Amino acid sequence: MESRRVLKELYIGILICTAIFLVIGCIFMRPIWIYALGILVGGAGACAQAYGIYDTLDLILSMDPKSAKGKATLKSITRILICLILMTVAIVLHWAAFVGVTIGLLTLKFSAMINPFIRKHITKIDGVDNTLDIQQK
């Protein structure tokens, strides 16, 4: 299924971006462990957001348009509130945790931007050859 493959590609991108920002942050941020914890929590939050979007799309595609719009709005507001809660807890703990959580949450966006690169260089996910898709376009 195409949507699952895209979700797995997003997870891979989030993992790559989280690792990159973790290494960069370990050079510049102090205390390192608070920043590292923050970015790992933010990366987990980004994965949860990606799954939430996937699940919402799967759900609303089987609903009538009016109900689907309300459900999509509710799920979107829920995702935003969870991000705000994570960021609020992080800022209360330490500014380095806040920076880590914020960057970790943004890894979903970075993952979406590098998705074509991931699709091109990771040839097999779920036994599907992704290079054929790219060559045909």
Side-chain angles (χ1 to χ4, degrees):
M1 187 155 84
E2 179 69 19
S3 58
R4 276 199 185 161
R5 185 173 69 173
V6 171
L7 180 64
K8 288 181 181 183
E9 291 168 357
L10 284 174
Y11 285 158
I12 291 168
I14 290 168
L15 183 65
I16 291 168
C17 292
T18 300
I20 291 169
F21 286 118
L22 184 61
V23 170
I24 292 171
C26 286
I27 297 169
F28 298 107
M29 299 298 290
R30 296 292 181 264
I32 294 172
W33 72 273
I34 291 177
Y35 171 77
L37 181 64
I39 201 154
L40 293 175
V41 167
C47 287
Q49 280 185 331
Y51 181 78
I53 293 167
Y54 166 79
D55 188 47
T56 301
L57 287 173
D58 192 39
L59 177 67
I60 65 173
L61 287 175
S62 63
M63 299 172 74
D64 64 286
K66 188 175 182 179
S67 299
K69 183 179 179 182
K71 183 61 97 172
T73 302
L74 180 66
K75 294 275 192 170
S76 179
I77 290 170
T78 304
R79 283 192 305 275
I80 291 170
L81 287 175
I82 290 171
C83 289
L84 289 174
I85 290 169
L86 285 175
M87 293 170 71
T88 303
V89 169
I91 195 74
V92 169
L93 293 176
H94 196 275
W95 69 272
F98 176 74
V99 171
V101 167
T102 303
I103 292 172
L105 288 170
L106 288 174
T107 59
L108 176 60
K109 306 302 181 192
F110 295 126
S111 176
M113 290 185 338
I114 66 169
N115 188 272
F117 174 82
I118 292 170
R119 181 169 284 202
K120 182 179 178 184
H121 288 88
I122 297 175
T123 57
K124 291 204 179 217
I125 295 177
D126 287 341
V128 177
D129 189 3
N130 296 331
T131 56
L132 296 176
D133 294 342
I134 294 170
Q135 291 171 355
Q136 291 174 355
K137 292 182 181 178

